[in-house]
Amino acid sequence: FSWLYTMIKIGQFDKALSDVELAYNCSQEKELKFLATTLRAIKYKVIKYPGTLSAELQQRLLPVVSSLPKLRQLLLECDKDGPKYCSIVPLHSSMDVTYSPERLPLASNCAQITEILPTFNPSTVIVALENGSISTWDVETRQLLRQITTAQSVILGMKLTSDEKYLVVATTKNTLLIYDNLNSCLLSEVEIKGSKHGGISVGSSFINGFTLSVNHALSWLEASKDITVIDLLYGWPLYQFHCWYEVTCVQCSPDGMYAFCGQYL
């Protein structure tokens, strides 16, 4: 490993690769052939960032070391010497795990899943179906924990606040539904309005997107230049931002102090 790293560091990657290929031609050892193929795959990255050599080799060689045992010594050297040059070293390769996915039926009908939200609990997910129902499932026990119905509204998207206190759902009725996530009860429903880039009122446009800050939701319609700010605690619109051009995306700073708006000129 140290020889390989030094060759790359002094700009002799091609010479090192040539030596590995020459060694394979002489010995016909499959480990050398695989190593040469691996080096060609990571060439441009390790030339630019030589310190990543250990991590790149471990990521690619660990999954095959059982079938190519002579690579084990190189991996041991990567593990020993790699941290000298780079602080990012993989401790476990996910490619080394083989398993089959499990199937979790979420409904007795053929409703399509439109959104899945992970939660703080790794085994708990929130799933939205096209029929307007939202279910919270424990995927380990396969138990339905909570269920919400949105009165047959088609769900465009849903998000959780960072503390998972509120679940906010956007529908094709141009409304945001604000739920108490733990109790699965509807707190408020807020209509989103806006105006088009040219000043014409938005008619049949749907909600184009929404984002959440600490205690607020910000939403905008398709082809609109207005962003509606909603207080999640009280469930009413506070005000609208009027942007110069059509709003394409919005993100809030972690403390909720600033909102950053992308626009289409």
Side-chain angles (χ1 to χ4, degrees):
F1 171 80
S2 296
W3 167 79
L4 190 55
Y5 173 83
T6 302
M7 292 292 285
I8 294 173
K9 190 70 174 177
I10 64 176
Q12 296 295 316
F13 178 93
D14 291 333
K15 178 64 169 62
L17 177 58
S18 176
D19 288 348
V20 173
E21 291 174 333
L22 179 61
Y24 166 70
N25 292 333
C26 295
S27 65
Q28 293 297 303
E29 291 185 351
K30 56 185 179 181
E31 286 86 353
L32 290 172
K33 182 178 181 180
F34 189 86
L35 177 59
T37 301
T38 300
L39 289 174
R40 281 193 292 270
I42 63 176
K43 174 180 178 178
Y44 297 106
K45 185 171 185 179
V46 297
I47 287 177
K48 187 174 183 180
Y49 305 107
T52 64
L53 177 63
S54 171
E56 292 292 335
L57 288 178
Q58 290 187 67
Q59 179 180 335
R60 287 165 170 77
L61 301 185
L62 273 172
V64 300
V65 70
S66 58
S67 56
L68 301 173
K70 292 183 180 179
L71 291 175
R72 189 175 301 277
Q73 183 58 39
L74 176 59
L75 284 170
L76 290 174
E77 292 181 12
C78 287
D79 186 56
K80 177 183 176 182
D81 297 333
K84 296 178 183 178
Y85 313 110
C86 181
S87 60
I88 302 176
V89 179
L91 301 179
H92 174 73
S93 173
S94 59
M95 297 173 63
D96 207 18
V97 179
T98 57
Y99 59 90
S100 298
E102 295 186 18
R103 182 177 180 181
L104 179 63
L106 300 181
S108 57
N109 54 31
C110 297
Q112 178 181 337
I113 296 174
T114 58
E115 187 93 18
I116 300 177
L117 283 182
T119 65
F120 288 147
N121 186 339
S123 66
T124 302
V125 294
I126 301 174
V127 181
L129 302 181
E130 64 178 350
N131 61 9
S133 68
I134 300 173
S135 305
T136 303
W137 289 84
D138 186 317
V139 295
E140 289 187 355
T141 63
R142 301 189 174 213
Q143 289 185 334
L144 176 63
L145 303 179
R146 298 183 295 276
Q147 191 165 29
I148 294 171
T149 177
T150 61
Q152 303 302 315
S153 299
V154 178
I155 296 172
L156 295 175
M158 61 180 182
K159 298 179 187 291
L160 277 172
T161 53
S162 57
D163 58 2
E164 298 193 354
K165 182 178 180 180
Y166 299 107
L167 174 67
V168 182
V169 180
T171 75
T172 52
K173 295 180 179 179
N174 284 356
T175 59
L176 286 188
L177 307 177
I178 304 171
Y179 289 91
D180 180 326
N181 180 45
L182 294 180
N183 297 310
S184 297
C185 61
L186 180 64
L187 300 177
S188 56
E189 180 175 3
V190 183
E191 183 180 3
I192 305 302
K193 300 179 180 180
S195 58
K196 285 189 176 179
H197 174 79
I200 305 172
S201 176
V202 175
S204 59
S205 297
F206 289 133
I207 291 176
N208 192 35
F210 71 101
T211 189
L212 304 180
S213 67
V214 181
N215 293 310
H216 301 91
L218 291 79
S219 184
W220 62 100
L221 300 181
E222 296 172 341
S224 173
K225 58 181 181 179
D226 296 330
I227 302 171
T228 302
V229 181
I230 300 162
D231 187 304
L232 294 176
L233 180 61
Y234 296 102
W236 59 53
L238 293 177
Y239 43 81
Q240 280 190 330
F241 290 131
H242 299 284
C243 299
W244 287 284
Y245 303 100
E246 177 185 334
V247 178
T248 57
C249 60
V250 178
Q251 285 294 336
C252 297
S253 59
D255 59 1
M257 183 69 67
Y258 299 100
F260 305 98
C261 174
Q263 301 177 79
Y264 178 72
L265 302 182

